[in-house]
PDB file of all heavy atoms in Angstrom:
ATOM      1  N   ALA O 118      38.455 -60.911 206.502  1.00 79.00           N
ATOM      2  CA  ALA O 118      37.955 -60.240 207.696  1.00 79.00           C
ATOM      3  C   ALA O 118      36.622 -60.769 208.206  1.00 79.00           C
ATOM      4  O   ALA O 118      36.310 -60.618 209.389  1.00 79.00           O
ATOM      5  CB  ALA O 118      37.826 -58.742 207.405  1.00 79.00           C
ATOM      6  N   PHE O 119      35.830 -61.404 207.330  1.00 87.00           N
ATOM      7  CA  PHE O 119      34.492 -61.819 207.746  1.00 87.00           C
ATOM      8  C   PHE O 119      34.432 -63.251 208.262  1.00 87.00           C
ATOM      9  O   PHE O 119      33.394 -63.683 208.773  1.00 87.00           O
ATOM     10  CB  PHE O 119      33.502 -61.688 206.581  1.00 87.00           C
ATOM     11  CG  PHE O 119      33.488 -60.341 205.912  1.00 87.00           C
ATOM     12  CD1 PHE O 119      33.108 -60.215 204.586  1.00 87.00           C
ATOM     13  CD2 PHE O 119      33.848 -59.189 206.604  1.00 87.00           C
ATOM     14  CE1 PHE O 119      33.096 -58.976 203.960  1.00 87.00           C
ATOM     15  CE2 PHE O 119      33.841 -57.942 205.990  1.00 87.00           C
ATOM     16  CZ  PHE O 119      33.464 -57.845 204.661  1.00 87.00           C
ATOM     17  N   LEU O 120      35.507 -64.012 208.114  1.00 91.00           N
ATOM     18  CA  LEU O 120      35.451 -65.443 208.405  1.00 91.00           C
ATOM     19  C   LEU O 120      35.056 -65.737 209.850  1.00 91.00           C
ATOM     20  O   LEU O 120      34.198 -66.587 210.116  1.00 91.00           O
ATOM     21  CB  LEU O 120      36.790 -66.104 208.088  1.00 91.00           C
ATOM     22  CG  LEU O 120      36.900 -67.598 208.466  1.00 91.00           C
ATOM     23  CD1 LEU O 120      35.823 -68.411 207.771  1.00 91.00           C
ATOM     24  CD2 LEU O 120      38.286 -68.132 208.128  1.00 91.00           C
ATOM     25  N   GLU O 121      35.677 -65.054 210.790  1.00 88.00           N
ATOM     26  CA  GLU O 121      35.407 -65.355 212.203  1.00 88.00           C
ATOM     27  C   GLU O 121      33.931 -65.173 212.540  1.00 88.00           C
ATOM     28  O   GLU O 121      33.335 -66.005 213.244  1.00 88.00           O
ATOM     29  CB  GLU O 121      36.271 -64.459 213.099  1.00 88.00           C
ATOM     30  CG  GLU O 121      36.138 -64.784 214.580  1.00 88.00           C
ATOM     31  CD  GLU O 121      37.095 -63.985 215.444  1.00 88.00           C
ATOM     32  OE1 GLU O 121      38.027 -63.363 214.882  1.00 88.00           O
ATOM     33  OE2 GLU O 121      36.909 -63.973 216.670  1.00 88.00           O
ATOM     34  N   GLN O 122      33.327 -64.112 212.017  1.00 89.00           N
ATOM     35  CA  GLN O 122      31.912 -63.884 212.300  1.00 89.00           C
ATOM     36  C   GLN O 122      31.024 -64.903 211.585  1.00 89.00           C
ATOM     37  O   GLN O 122      29.984 -65.327 212.121  1.00 89.00           O
ATOM     38  CB  GLN O 122      31.507 -62.460 211.901  1.00 89.00           C
ATOM     39  CG  GLN O 122      32.118 -61.378 212.787  1.00 89.00           C
ATOM     40  CD  GLN O 122      31.496 -60.019 212.512  1.00 89.00           C
ATOM     41  OE1 GLN O 122      30.300 -59.836 212.669  1.00 89.00           O
ATOM     42  NE2 GLN O 122      32.331 -59.074 212.092  1.00 89.00           N
ATOM     43  N   ILE O 123      31.407 -65.297 210.380  1.00 94.00           N
ATOM     44  CA  ILE O 123      30.645 -66.341 209.682  1.00 94.00           C
ATOM     45  C   ILE O 123      30.650 -67.622 210.510  1.00 94.00           C
ATOM     46  O   ILE O 123      29.622 -68.287 210.679  1.00 94.00           O
ATOM     47  CB  ILE O 123      31.230 -66.602 208.281  1.00 94.00           C
ATOM     48  CG1 ILE O 123      30.987 -65.398 207.358  1.00 94.00           C
ATOM     49  CG2 ILE O 123      30.641 -67.873 207.673  1.00 94.00           C
ATOM     50  CD1 ILE O 123      29.542 -65.147 207.002  1.00 94.00           C
ATOM     51  N   LEU O 124      31.790 -67.966 211.070  1.00 94.00           N
ATOM     52  CA  LEU O 124      31.887 -69.167 211.903  1.00 94.00           C
ATOM     53  C   LEU O 124      31.056 -69.038 213.175  1.00 94.00           C
ATOM     54  O   LEU O 124      30.521 -70.030 213.683  1.00 94.00           O
ATOM     55  CB  LEU O 124      33.351 -69.444 212.252  1.00 94.00           C
ATOM     56  CG  LEU O 124      34.260 -69.844 211.085  1.00 94.00           C
ATOM     57  CD1 LEU O 124      35.705 -69.987 211.561  1.00 94.00           C
ATOM     58  CD2 LEU O 124      33.785 -71.143 210.451  1.00 94.00           C
ATOM     59  N   SER O 125      30.936 -67.803 213.674  1.00 93.00           N
ATOM     60  CA  SER O 125      30.164 -67.584 214.897  1.00 93.00           C
ATOM     61  C   SER O 125      28.665 -67.637 214.639  1.00 93.00           C
ATOM     62  O   SER O 125      27.867 -67.749 215.576  1.00 93.00           O
ATOM     63  CB  SER O 125      30.526 -66.226 215.516  1.00 93.00           C
ATOM     64  OG  SER O 125      29.945 -65.158 214.779  1.00 93.00           O
ATOM     65  N   GLY O 126      28.263 -67.527 213.361  1.00 96.00           N
ATOM     66  CA  GLY O 126      26.850 -67.587 213.015  1.00 96.00           C
ATOM     67  C   GLY O 126      26.179 -66.243 212.843  1.00 96.00           C
ATOM     68  O   GLY O 126      24.971 -66.184 212.577  1.00 96.00           O
ATOM     69  N   ARG O 127      26.928 -65.146 212.931  1.00 94.00           N
ATOM     70  CA  ARG O 127      26.340 -63.813 212.758  1.00 94.00           C
ATOM     71  C   ARG O 127      27.399 -62.853 212.232  1.00 94.00           C
ATOM     72  O   ARG O 127      28.417 -62.629 212.881  1.00 94.00           O
ATOM     73  CB  ARG O 127      25.772 -63.282 214.069  1.00 94.00           C
ATOM     74  CG  ARG O 127      25.106 -61.895 213.939  1.00 94.00           C
ATOM     75  CD  ARG O 127      24.649 -61.382 215.301  1.00 94.00           C
ATOM     76  NE  ARG O 127      23.624 -62.244 215.850  1.00 94.00           N
ATOM     77  CZ  ARG O 127      22.313 -62.066 215.646  1.00 94.00           C
ATOM     78  NH1 ARG O 127      21.906 -61.067 214.926  1.00 94.00           N
ATOM     79  NH2 ARG O 127      21.442 -62.883 216.182  1.00 94.00           N
ATOM     80  N   LEU O 128      27.121 -62.285 211.059  1.00 93.00           N
ATOM     81  CA  LEU O 128      28.005 -61.269 210.475  1.00 93.00           C
ATOM     82  C   LEU O 128      27.369 -59.904 210.684  1.00 93.00           C
ATOM     83  O   LEU O 128      26.223 -59.669 210.285  1.00 93.00           O
ATOM     84  CB  LEU O 128      28.208 -61.530 208.980  1.00 93.00           C
ATOM     85  CG  LEU O 128      29.086 -60.516 208.226  1.00 93.00           C
ATOM     86  CD1 LEU O 128      30.504 -60.493 208.779  1.00 93.00           C
ATOM     87  CD2 LEU O 128      29.098 -60.821 206.732  1.00 93.00           C
ATOM     88  N   GLN O 129      28.107 -58.990 211.301  1.00 92.00           N
ATOM     89  CA  GLN O 129      27.623 -57.650 211.593  1.00 92.00           C
ATOM     90  C   GLN O 129      28.483 -56.627 210.846  1.00 92.00           C
ATOM     91  O   GLN O 129      29.685 -56.515 211.089  1.00 92.00           O
ATOM     92  CB  GLN O 129      27.683 -57.373 213.101  1.00 92.00           C
ATOM     93  CG  GLN O 129      26.798 -58.300 213.926  1.00 92.00           C
ATOM     94  CD  GLN O 129      26.959 -58.057 215.416  1.00 92.00           C
ATOM     95  OE1 GLN O 129      28.072 -58.028 215.937  1.00 92.00           O
ATOM     96  NE2 GLN O 129      25.841 -57.884 216.110  1.00 92.00           N
ATOM     97  N   LEU O 130      27.845 -55.885 209.931  1.00 94.00           N
ATOM     98  CA  LEU O 130      28.548 -54.895 209.130  1.00 94.00           C
ATOM     99  C   LEU O 130      27.657 -53.670 208.936  1.00 94.00           C
ATOM    100  O   LEU O 130      26.430 -53.775 208.984  1.00 94.00           O
ATOM    101  CB  LEU O 130      28.906 -55.467 207.746  1.00 94.00           C
ATOM    102  CG  LEU O 130      29.894 -56.634 207.698  1.00 94.00           C
ATOM    103  CD1 LEU O 130      30.001 -57.164 206.271  1.00 94.00           C
ATOM    104  CD2 LEU O 130      31.255 -56.223 208.222  1.00 94.00           C
ATOM    105  N   PRO O 131      28.267 -52.509 208.655  1.00 94.00           N
ATOM    106  CA  PRO O 131      27.481 -51.298 208.404  1.00 94.00           C
ATOM    107  C   PRO O 131      27.068 -51.192 206.940  1.00 94.00           C
ATOM    108  O   PRO O 131      27.257 -50.156 206.290  1.00 94.00           O
ATOM    109  CB  PRO O 131      28.453 -50.182 208.800  1.00 94.00           C
ATOM    110  CG  PRO O 131      29.783 -50.732 208.435  1.00 94.00           C
ATOM    111  CD  PRO O 131      29.714 -52.210 208.737  1.00 94.00           C
ATOM    112  N   ALA O 132      26.526 -52.261 206.390  1.00 92.00           N
ATOM    113  CA  ALA O 132      26.114 -52.296 204.983  1.00 92.00           C
ATOM    114  C   ALA O 132      24.654 -52.701 204.915  1.00 92.00           C
ATOM    115  O   ALA O 132      24.268 -53.729 205.474  1.00 92.00           O
ATOM    116  CB  ALA O 132      26.984 -53.278 204.203  1.00 92.00           C
ATOM    117  N   GLY O 133      23.852 -51.895 204.222  1.00 90.00           N
ATOM    118  CA  GLY O 133      22.426 -52.157 204.131  1.00 90.00           C
ATOM    119  C   GLY O 133      22.054 -52.909 202.867  1.00 90.00           C
ATOM    120  O   GLY O 133      22.555 -53.996 202.613  1.00 90.00           O
ATOM    121  N   GLU O 134      21.185 -52.297 202.064  1.00 91.00           N
ATOM    122  CA  GLU O 134      20.639 -52.989 200.902  1.00 91.00           C
ATOM    123  C   GLU O 134      21.382 -52.679 199.604  1.00 91.00           C
ATOM    124  O   GLU O 134      20.879 -52.984 198.522  1.00 91.00           O
ATOM    125  CB  GLU O 134      19.158 -52.641 200.757  1.00 91.00           C
ATOM    126  CG  GLU O 134      18.311 -53.104 201.939  1.00 91.00           C
ATOM    127  CD  GLU O 134      18.533 -54.569 202.276  1.00 91.00           C
ATOM    128  OE1 GLU O 134      18.397 -55.421 201.366  1.00 91.00           O
ATOM    129  OE2 GLU O 134      18.865 -54.874 203.450  1.00 91.00           O
ATOM    130  N   VAL O 135      22.546 -52.069 199.696  1.00 93.00           N
ATOM    131  CA  VAL O 135      23.365 -51.852 198.505  1.00 93.00           C
ATOM    132  C   VAL O 135      23.959 -53.188 198.065  1.00 93.00           C
ATOM    133  O   VAL O 135      24.468 -53.952 198.875  1.00 93.00           O
ATOM    134  CB  VAL O 135      24.482 -50.832 198.783  1.00 93.00           C
ATOM    135  CG1 VAL O 135      25.439 -50.739 197.598  1.00 93.00           C
ATOM    136  CG2 VAL O 135      23.887 -49.475 199.095  1.00 93.00           C
ATOM    137  N   SER O 136      23.898 -53.467 196.789  1.00 96.00           N
ATOM    138  CA  SER O 136      24.391 -54.748 196.280  1.00 96.00           C
ATOM    139  C   SER O 136      25.797 -54.612 195.724  1.00 96.00           C
ATOM    140  O   SER O 136      26.223 -53.533 195.301  1.00 96.00           O
ATOM    141  CB  SER O 136      23.451 -55.296 195.201  1.00 96.00           C
ATOM    142  OG  SER O 136      23.333 -54.371 194.127  1.00 96.00           O
ATOM    143  N   GLU O 137      26.508 -55.722 195.711  1.00 96.00           N
ATOM    144  CA  GLU O 137      27.899 -55.778 195.253  1.00 96.00           C
ATOM    145  C   GLU O 137      28.084 -57.048 194.430  1.00 96.00           C
ATOM    146  O   GLU O 137      27.706 -58.142 194.867  1.00 96.00           O
ATOM    147  CB  GLU O 137      28.846 -55.796 196.455  1.00 96.00           C
ATOM    148  CG  GLU O 137      30.311 -55.996 196.121  1.00 96.00           C
ATOM    149  CD  GLU O 137      30.978 -54.790 195.482  1.00 96.00           C
ATOM    150  OE1 GLU O 137      30.394 -53.692 195.547  1.00 96.00           O
ATOM    151  OE2 GLU O 137      32.070 -54.942 194.914  1.00 96.00           O
ATOM    152  N   PRO O 138      28.653 -56.960 193.223  1.00 98.00           N
ATOM    153  CA  PRO O 138      28.889 -58.151 192.404  1.00 98.00           C
ATOM    154  C   PRO O 138      30.200 -58.832 192.801  1.00 98.00           C
ATOM    155  O   PRO O 138      31.224 -58.706 192.127  1.00 98.00           O
ATOM    156  CB  PRO O 138      28.937 -57.600 190.981  1.00 98.00           C
ATOM    157  CG  PRO O 138      29.456 -56.206 191.143  1.00 98.00           C
ATOM    158  CD  PRO O 138      28.974 -55.722 192.481  1.00 98.00           C
ATOM    159  N   PHE O 139      30.176 -59.553 193.903  1.00 97.00           N
ATOM    160  CA  PHE O 139      31.386 -60.159 194.470  1.00 97.00           C
ATOM    161  C   PHE O 139      32.133 -60.987 193.426  1.00 97.00           C
ATOM    162  O   PHE O 139      31.536 -61.762 192.681  1.00 97.00           O
ATOM    163  CB  PHE O 139      31.016 -61.046 195.661  1.00 97.00           C
ATOM    164  CG  PHE O 139      30.388 -60.302 196.811  1.00 97.00           C
ATOM    165  CD1 PHE O 139      29.008 -60.312 196.990  1.00 97.00           C
ATOM    166  CD2 PHE O 139      31.169 -59.592 197.705  1.00 97.00           C
ATOM    167  CE1 PHE O 139      28.423 -59.627 198.048  1.00 97.00           C
ATOM    168  CE2 PHE O 139      30.600 -58.903 198.766  1.00 97.00           C
ATOM    169  CZ  PHE O 139      29.213 -58.917 198.935  1.00 97.00           C
ATOM    170  N   ILE O 140      33.466 -60.835 193.418  1.00 98.00           N
ATOM    171  CA  ILE O 140      34.314 -61.525 192.446  1.00 98.00           C
ATOM    172  C   ILE O 140      35.103 -62.630 193.133  1.00 98.00           C
ATOM    173  O   ILE O 140      35.631 -62.443 194.232  1.00 98.00           O
ATOM    174  CB  ILE O 140      35.275 -60.526 191.745  1.00 98.00           C
ATOM    175  CG1 ILE O 140      36.174 -61.222 190.715  1.00 98.00           C
ATOM    176  CG2 ILE O 140      36.129 -59.779 192.764  1.00 98.00           C
ATOM    177  CD1 ILE O 140      35.483 -61.565 189.448  1.00 98.00           C
ATOM    178  N   ASP O 141      35.187 -63.778 192.495  1.00 98.00           N
ATOM    179  CA  ASP O 141      35.969 -64.895 193.013  1.00 98.00           C
ATOM    180  C   ASP O 141      37.456 -64.615 192.787  1.00 98.00           C
ATOM    181  O   ASP O 141      37.870 -64.261 191.679  1.00 98.00           O
ATOM    182  CB  ASP O 141      35.561 -66.179 192.279  1.00 98.00           C
ATOM    183  CG  ASP O 141      36.059 -67.443 192.943  1.00 98.00           C
ATOM    184  OD1 ASP O 141      37.209 -67.449 193.440  1.00 98.00           O
ATOM    185  OD2 ASP O 141      35.314 -68.441 192.958  1.00 98.00           O
ATOM    186  N   ALA O 142      38.262 -64.778 193.820  1.00 97.00           N
ATOM    187  CA  ALA O 142      39.704 -64.537 193.698  1.00 97.00           C
ATOM    188  C   ALA O 142      40.344 -65.453 192.670  1.00 97.00           C
ATOM    189  O   ALA O 142      41.381 -65.103 192.084  1.00 97.00           O
ATOM    190  CB  ALA O 142      40.385 -64.712 195.055  1.00 97.00           C
ATOM    191  N   ASP O 143      39.749 -66.618 192.423  1.00 98.00           N
ATOM    192  CA  ASP O 143      40.281 -67.503 191.381  1.00 98.00           C
ATOM    193  C   ASP O 143      40.101 -66.882 190.000  1.00 98.00           C
ATOM    194  O   ASP O 143      40.952 -67.066 189.118  1.00 98.00           O
ATOM    195  CB  ASP O 143      39.599 -68.869 191.447  1.00 98.00           C
ATOM    196  CG  ASP O 143      40.092 -69.703 192.616  1.00 98.00           C
ATOM    197  OD1 ASP O 143      41.324 -69.792 192.799  1.00 98.00           O
ATOM    198  OD2 ASP O 143      39.264 -70.255 193.353  1.00 98.00           O
ATOM    199  N   ASP O 144      39.021 -66.147 189.797  1.00 98.00           N
ATOM    200  CA  ASP O 144      38.841 -65.448 188.524  1.00 98.00           C
ATOM    201  C   ASP O 144      39.870 -64.334 188.367  1.00 98.00           C
ATOM    202  O   ASP O 144      40.405 -64.109 187.275  1.00 98.00           O
ATOM    203  CB  ASP O 144      37.436 -64.851 188.445  1.00 98.00           C
ATOM    204  CG  ASP O 144      36.359 -65.898 188.192  1.00 98.00           C
ATOM    205  OD1 ASP O 144      36.706 -67.056 187.908  1.00 98.00           O
ATOM    206  OD2 ASP O 144      35.164 -65.554 188.283  1.00 98.00           O
ATOM    207  N   ILE O 145      40.156 -63.636 189.468  1.00 98.00           N
ATOM    208  CA  ILE O 145      41.182 -62.587 189.415  1.00 98.00           C
ATOM    209  C   ILE O 145      42.530 -63.207 189.076  1.00 98.00           C
ATOM    210  O   ILE O 145      43.285 -62.675 188.253  1.00 98.00           O
ATOM    211  CB  ILE O 145      41.265 -61.833 190.751  1.00 98.00           C
ATOM    212  CG1 ILE O 145      39.943 -61.139 191.055  1.00 98.00           C
ATOM    213  CG2 ILE O 145      42.410 -60.821 190.727  1.00 98.00           C
ATOM    214  CD1 ILE O 145      39.891 -60.506 192.430  1.00 98.00           C
ATOM    215  N   ALA O 146      42.851 -64.330 189.708  1.00 97.00           N
ATOM    216  CA  ALA O 146      44.132 -65.002 189.445  1.00 97.00           C
ATOM    217  C   ALA O 146      44.235 -65.427 187.989  1.00 97.00           C
ATOM    218  O   ALA O 146      45.280 -65.242 187.345  1.00 97.00           O
ATOM    219  CB  ALA O 146      44.290 -66.204 190.367  1.00 97.00           C
TER     220      ALA O 146
END
């Protein structure tokens, strides 16, 4: 869902300073 905005140069989301330990899908696989 975020790819198009990343390509545009600006990602806009309703998320502030809460952190998330993002997981690589290759690790899940």
